[in-house]
């Protein structure tokens, strides 16, 4: 198909064989090109570019030769048509939508802004068009404005150009560092500490060159593994300020991060004092040599240290740029000092240096110093413990991650390179000093070998010096005795002193900057609410000035102590604990197999990281075991504290990912385990609607499912699907959060359906997972069934039928006031809204008053306005009070109290269980579980079992079964004259009172066959038992004896009061077809099939009598019970009408305490086997 210059062809004509990615698209630059014949020239499809941010539009290509056809269509990237010419559905010509792949559409292309967090410092978060906006039909009456459409289409979502420009202006003054100045320099300065100059020679003397290299190598292994793990974590996502705390908290969660962050910040603060004291000690030594002491060594250290830390604080507060410049200067000095040492090793030694043990490079000295020669009290691990702190400092760059241009690139590159360079330096110095200097030297130039003297075989002896007396008396020089060996070997000694100053001051400065930065990040996350004060930053770099002051005060306190030998091992262990958690974070994130774990740094292995974590922990004990114990105790305490406080943060940690994996694995493993009756537990679907609208129903269910079974609060949204789905999705998280806030261990689930019954049917079939599927449906009793529409009653009864069809037990809960408190909640929300308005109004009035007072004399002229405002305030308050009192008057106080009755501890009383029908034992299991709860433990269990008098021997099975469940029994029977009985049945009532008597009653065959049991079973049971004559027990027995003989009923059912109430109840729903002719009766049946027919009523007359009589028995024996658990009668499908069944439930539970109507699925949930 060829194109001509008509724009209609582009706009309206689309080839039939062209998909949306194969369209003729527009070129923004209208450069002329040679026309080509479309019939002979194949179409050219070029890759679309989405990177041209300058023009803020997509750069798209066009077919050669067809450029002119778009001249009338495109004008500077916009169409020439006006908005009035567009149709609401014209997504091809309406450029209010983004042009994607040649089409105008709201479907946006991938953009980084969509994936930012809210409040991101690297740019604004943009909301992409929702799936609903793309999926749903466009409304014809909705006009799309260019500004909003462009914002959605282009994904800008920025408040405006002015704000963006202001943000750019704010960012212009921010100082950001690259990987060299920000990470490499800092790490090298921190790793090259004072240990390099004054302790490394001693380590080589003790351990020898061989073991010295191993000690350095082992330390480097720890730091390298930690660096690799840190690099993997850094490259997994954007790294903000906080260093080690940020890495650990975002990986393992706030519990680990909060605990290690606090001790890590404290360790850095104390490290400032350690480094400053090291600097002060060096200065004091110089003062001693020149005899220029100010007071005494201790006080001189305090004075010099205090002055030094004040100067360092000034450099830090001046800004990161000044601090970085100071670090570069110190690094230059340090490098010169190190170079000075290596130069000194090749400068020929003089007699003075030889007498002190320095002979330049000698093979004999290297061979002699290669092996270890530990002095008394020293060993490999003690020497390793002294050296290892020198290898720390690899987190110096990560600690200022918020001040780096690209932390993801800078931290791995700078840290790993710093480890390599410093390792080479340490190894080089150790080997060189071990090959040049002997272990012991006298420093006496006269200790030379005279011809004819016997040589002791040492390297010094071979070089003409006799230092043999150092074996019997202490010497002052040599690797083992002189800490200033590097200064002696170097070409210019003062440069080594300058290097020592540089190493100590740079480490102190890095720690002084790191501690406030880490502490500020910790405080910003509000994990410790009391520390929120230190979260505030100042200036464009968000400098933590308050943190600087706190770090300064901590450092000053420890400097004034001036004795840091005790605290130093703990500080080293604090750093090692951080390293261990960084390694463990990398391992844990890898082990959790979260899709969000995608580090760009691929040189890592989770098992190597785990080895690094274990190695760090081992090194902690090697350095100092009691310091390691203290570190773990402090960390554990902080972990427990943060876990208890449960900070409101969600960082998607690997702990969450592993919890999901563990839950999934356990659920899958559970499916392989066959069910057993001993492990049965009620797993309930509770039809609460919104969980906050029926709290009492949820509370009673939670009472027997908490910590033992599954509980799912379910809600069915009925209505137009679009509105229901929107409402359902909008409230899902809120309602689950309500459950968590109220400490209810339950899930929330919701469905949208055309009718209520269909929604519940879906929940019954699809809820749960594997073995964790609901087996019990809990619903509230429909109290308003006589006023409700017929469809609601059909749905209600139909739900019960559906549950039985799916072999799911049913529990119906009835309380006198009902469950639904949604109207109360609405009133409370309205009152809260009015109260917020009132407070806002008061705040506005207060602000106005402050402004008027600050206006000086001008405030006098505004007095009238002020008076008017104050006059309107009482009116507003009065209206609120009126509304409030009106609503309070409308409150159903009893309903509010009833909604919380199961939250309270139940008073001492009974739970009466009327186990009339064997449903597998659920009727008995639920109340038994209730008695195990703290709120119900004072309620004793009484169990009533029904049956025919002539089958008492057969009913013993119930006694035996219940006896085997550790319940204690007494018996009494209620008998009636069969000629006068309403239901032509008598009922044997077996009552159990748990823990009422001291000993458990046992039955045997002889006792149960005794005829006296029928005459007076209660007296017989008491006679054969060992009861103590407790007055409380006697009172209970007397009550049962008196209640065992209910008053004789009338000989006719029609005069029975209960039956009259029942008949009046069902009268509006009866068909009375027997009083009409056959034709009329058939017509009424067709028109009102839901009504109760005379034939149906006659067929189930005995069942109806039973419900009436049961209510009378419940009134007699369980009126004062705390809770009644009663077998739920089952209505046979197709035989019992819905209204008759509701009448049964009504008359059965009328005027009673809270009732649970329970019917299991007729599968055993109890067993008497062990």
């Amino acid at each position: 198909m060829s194109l001509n210059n008509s724009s209609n062809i582009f706009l309206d004509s689309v080839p039939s064989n062209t998909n949306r990615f194969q369209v003729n698209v527009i070129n923004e630059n209208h450069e002329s090109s040679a026309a080509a014949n479309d019939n002979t020239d194949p179409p050219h499809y070029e890759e679309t570019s989405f990177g041209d941010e300058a023009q803020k539009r997509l750069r798209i290509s066009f077919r050669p030769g067809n450029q002119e056809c778009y001249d009338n269509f495109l004008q500077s990237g916009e169409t020439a048509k006006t908005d009035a010419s567009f149709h609401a559905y014209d997504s091809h010509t309406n450029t209010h939508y983004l042009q994607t792949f040649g089409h105008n559409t709201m479907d946006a292309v991938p953009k980084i802004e969509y994936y930012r967090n809210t409040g991101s410092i690297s740019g604004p978060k943009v909301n992409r068009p929702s799936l609903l906006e793309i999926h749903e039909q466009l409304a014809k009456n909705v006009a799309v404005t260019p500004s909003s459409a462009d914002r959605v289409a282009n994904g800008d979502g920025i408040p405006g150009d002015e704000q963006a420009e202001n943000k750019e202006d704010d960012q212009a003054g921010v100082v950001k560092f690259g990987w060299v100045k920000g990470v490499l320099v800092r790490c090298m300065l921190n790793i090259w500490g004072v240990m390099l100059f004054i302790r490394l020679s001693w380590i080589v003397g003790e351990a020898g060159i061989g073991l010295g290299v191993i000690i350095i190598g082992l330390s480097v292994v720890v730091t390298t593994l930690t660096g690799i793990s840190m690099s993997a974590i850094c490259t997994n996502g954007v790294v903000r300020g906080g260093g080690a705390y940020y890495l650990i908290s975002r990986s393992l969660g706030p519990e680990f991060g909060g605990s290690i962050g606090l001790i890590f910040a404290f360790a850095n603060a104390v490290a400032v004092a350690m480094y400053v004291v090291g600097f002060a000690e060096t200065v004091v030594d110089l003062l001693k040599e020149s005899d220029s002491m100010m007071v005494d060594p201790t006080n001189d250290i305090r004075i010099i240290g205090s002055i030094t830390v004040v100067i360092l604080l000034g450099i830090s507060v001046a800004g990161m740029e000044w601090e970085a410049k100071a670090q570069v200067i110190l690094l230059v000095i340090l490098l010169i000092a190190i170079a000075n040492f290596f130069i000194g090793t090749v400068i020929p030694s003089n007699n003075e240096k030889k007498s002190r043990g320095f002979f330049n490079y000698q093979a004999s000295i290297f061979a002699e110093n290669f092996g270890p020669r530990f002095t008394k009290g020293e060993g490999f691990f003690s020497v390793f413990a002294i050296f290892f702190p020198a290898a720390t400092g690899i987190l110096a760059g990560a600690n200022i991650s918020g001040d780096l241009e690209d932390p993801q690139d800078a931290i791995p590159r700078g840290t790993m390179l710093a480890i390599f360079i410093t390792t080479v330096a340490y190894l080089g110095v150790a080997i060189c000093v071990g090959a040049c200097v002997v272990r012991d030297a006298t420093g006496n130039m006269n200790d030379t070998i005279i011809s004819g003297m016997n040589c002791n075989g040492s390297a010094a002896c071979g070089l003409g010096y006799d230092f043999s007396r150092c074996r019997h008396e202490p010497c002052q020089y040599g690797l083992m005795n002189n800490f200033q060996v590097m200064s002696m070997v170097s070409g210019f000694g003062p440069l080594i002193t300058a290097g020592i100053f540089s190493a100590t001051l740079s480490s102190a400065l890095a720690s002084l900057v790191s501690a406030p930065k880490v502490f500020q990040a910790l405080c910003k996350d509000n994990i410790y609410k009391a520390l929120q004060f230190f979260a505030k930053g100042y200036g464009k770099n968000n400098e933590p000035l308050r943190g600087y002051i706190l770090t300064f005060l901590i450092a000053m306190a420890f400097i004034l102590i001036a004795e840091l030998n005790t605290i130093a091992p703990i500080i080293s262990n604090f750093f090692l604990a951080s390293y261990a958690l960084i390694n463990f974070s990398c391992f844990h994130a890898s082990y959790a197999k979260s899709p969000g774990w995608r580090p760009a740094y691929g040189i890592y292995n989770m098992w190597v990281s785990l080895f690094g974590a274990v190695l760090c922990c081992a090194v902690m004990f090697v350095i100092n075991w009691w310091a390691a114990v203290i570190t773990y105790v402090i960390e554990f305490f902080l972990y427990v504290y943060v876990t208890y406080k449960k900070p409101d943060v969600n960082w998607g940690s690997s702990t969450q990912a592993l919890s999901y994996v563990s839950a999934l694995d356990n659920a899958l493993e559970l499916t392989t385990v066959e069910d057993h009756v001993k492990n049965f537990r009620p797993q309930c679907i509770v039809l609460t609607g919104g969980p906050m609208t029926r709290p009492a129903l949820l509370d009673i269910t939670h009472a027997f499912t908490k910590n033992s079974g599954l509980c799912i609060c379910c809600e069915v949204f009925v209505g137009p699907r679009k509105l229901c789905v929107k409402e359902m999705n909008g409230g899902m998280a809120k309602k689950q959060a309500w459950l968590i806030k109220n400490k209810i261990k339950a899930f929330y689930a919701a469905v949208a359906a055309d009718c209520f019954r269909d929604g519940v049917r879906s929940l019954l079939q699809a809820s749960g997972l594997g073995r964790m599927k609901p087996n019990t449906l809990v619903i509230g009793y429909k109290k308003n069934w006589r006023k409700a529409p017929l469809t609601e009653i059909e749905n209600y009864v139909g739900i019960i039928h559906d549950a039985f069809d799916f072999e799911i037990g049913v529990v119906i809960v009835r309380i006198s006031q009902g469950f639904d408190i949604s109207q109360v909640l609405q009133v409370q929300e309205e009152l809260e809204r009015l109260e917020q308005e009132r407070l806002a109004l008061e705040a506005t009035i207060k602000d106005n008053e402050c402004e008027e007072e600050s206006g000086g004399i001008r405030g006098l002229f505004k007095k009238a306005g002020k008076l008017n405002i104050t006059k309107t305030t009482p009116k507003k308050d009065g209206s609120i009070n009126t509304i409030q009192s009106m609503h309070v008057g409308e409150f159903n106080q009893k309903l509010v109290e009833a909604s919380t009755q199961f939250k309270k501890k139940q008073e001492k009383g009974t739970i009466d269980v009327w186990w009339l029908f064997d449903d597998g034992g659920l009727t008995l299991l639920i109340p038994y579980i209730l008695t195990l709860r703290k709120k119900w433990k004072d309620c004793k269990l009484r169990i009533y079992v029904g049956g025919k008098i002539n089958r008492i021997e057969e009913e013993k099975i119930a006694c035996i079964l219940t006896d085997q469940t550790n319940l204690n029994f007494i018996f009494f029977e209620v008998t009636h004259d069969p000629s006068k009985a309403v239901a032509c049945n008598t009922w044997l009532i077996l009552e159990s009172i748990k823990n009422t008597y001291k000993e458990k009653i046992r039955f045997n065959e002889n006792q149960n066959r005794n005829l006296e049991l029928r005459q007076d079973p209660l007296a017989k049971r008491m006679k054969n038992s060992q009861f103590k004559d407790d007055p409380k027990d006697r009172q209970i027995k007397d009550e049962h004896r008196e209640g065992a003989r209910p008053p004789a009923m009338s000989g006719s059912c029609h005069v029975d009061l209960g039956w009259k109430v029942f008949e009046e109840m069902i009268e509006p729903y009866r068909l009375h077809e027997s009083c009409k002719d056959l034709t009329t009766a058939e017509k009424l049946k067709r028109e009102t099939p839901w009504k109760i027919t005379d034939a149906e009523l006659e067929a189930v007359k005995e069942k109806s009598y039973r419900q009436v009589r049961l209510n009378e028995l419940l009134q007699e024996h369980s009126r004062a019970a705390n809770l009644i658990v009663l077998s739920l009668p089952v209505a046979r499908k197709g035989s019992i009408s819905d209204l008759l069944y509701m009448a049964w439930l009504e008359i059965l539970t009328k005027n009673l305490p809270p009732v649970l109507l329970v019917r299991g699925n007729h599968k055993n949930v109890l067993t008497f086997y062990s």
Side-chain angles (χ1 to χ4, degrees), residues 1030-1056:
D1030 186 38
K1032 187 182 297 184
D1033 296 341
R1034 191 187 314 117
Q1035 180 182 358
I1036 294 175
K1037 297 169 194 172
D1038 292 342
E1039 290 177 359
H1040 295 321
R1041 187 178 295 279
E1042 292 173 2
R1045 295 291 187 269
M1049 301 180 65
S1050 173
S1052 173
C1053 294
H1054 298 288
V1055 296
D1056 178 70

Side-chain angles (χ1 to χ4, degrees), residues 185 189 326-338 502:
V185 170
L189 284 171
Q327 292 279 27
V328 172
I329 295 173
L330 293 174
L331 178 63
V332 171
I333 297 174
L334 194 60
L335 290 174
I336 292 174
I338 295 174
S502 174

Side-chain angles (χ1 to χ4, degrees), residues 288-303:
K288 283 182 181 179
E289 293 179 2
S290 60
D291 196 18
S292 302
M293 298 291 293
M294 291 180 286
V295 185
D296 56 71
T298 302
N299 286 318
D300 283 1
I301 290 173
R302 292 170 178 166
I303 294 170

Side-chain angles (χ1 to χ4, degrees), residues 18-39:
T18 305
N19 58 35
R20 68 173 299 168
F21 301 99
Q22 297 173 343
V23 294
N24 295 325
V25 288
I26 308 166
N27 193 333
E28 294 180 349
N29 52 2
H30 289 209
E31 298 175 357
S32 57
S33 61
N37 190 352
D38 291 336
N39 293 328

Side-chain angles (χ1 to χ4, degrees), residues 951-1016:
R951 298 178 59 189
I952 187 172
E953 295 295 330
E954 299 176 9
E955 300 298 339
K956 288 189 300 181
I957 183 64
C959 307
I960 296 172
L961 177 61
T962 318
D963 183 53
Q964 292 292 337
T965 56
N966 297 323
L967 298 173
N968 303 328
F969 278 84
I970 60 173
F971 287 85
F972 69 90
E973 66 176 307
V974 177
T975 60
H976 302 292
D977 184 358
S979 63
K980 296 181 180 181
V982 175
C984 299
N985 285 327
T986 56
W987 294 87
L988 172 67
I989 310 296
L990 307 177
E991 182 190 49
S992 158
I993 306 179
K994 185 180 181 183
N995 298 325
T996 300
Y997 304 105
K998 306 298 181 183
E999 295 185 8
K1000 183 177 181 180
I1001 302 174
R1002 295 290 183 182
F1003 304 103
N1004 54 55
E1005 291 297 325
N1006 294 330
Q1007 286 178 324
N1008 289 329
R1009 289 172 182 169
N1010 195 333
L1011 295 177
E1012 292 181 8
L1013 178 63
R1014 295 195 180 194
Q1015 297 175 358
D1016 193 356

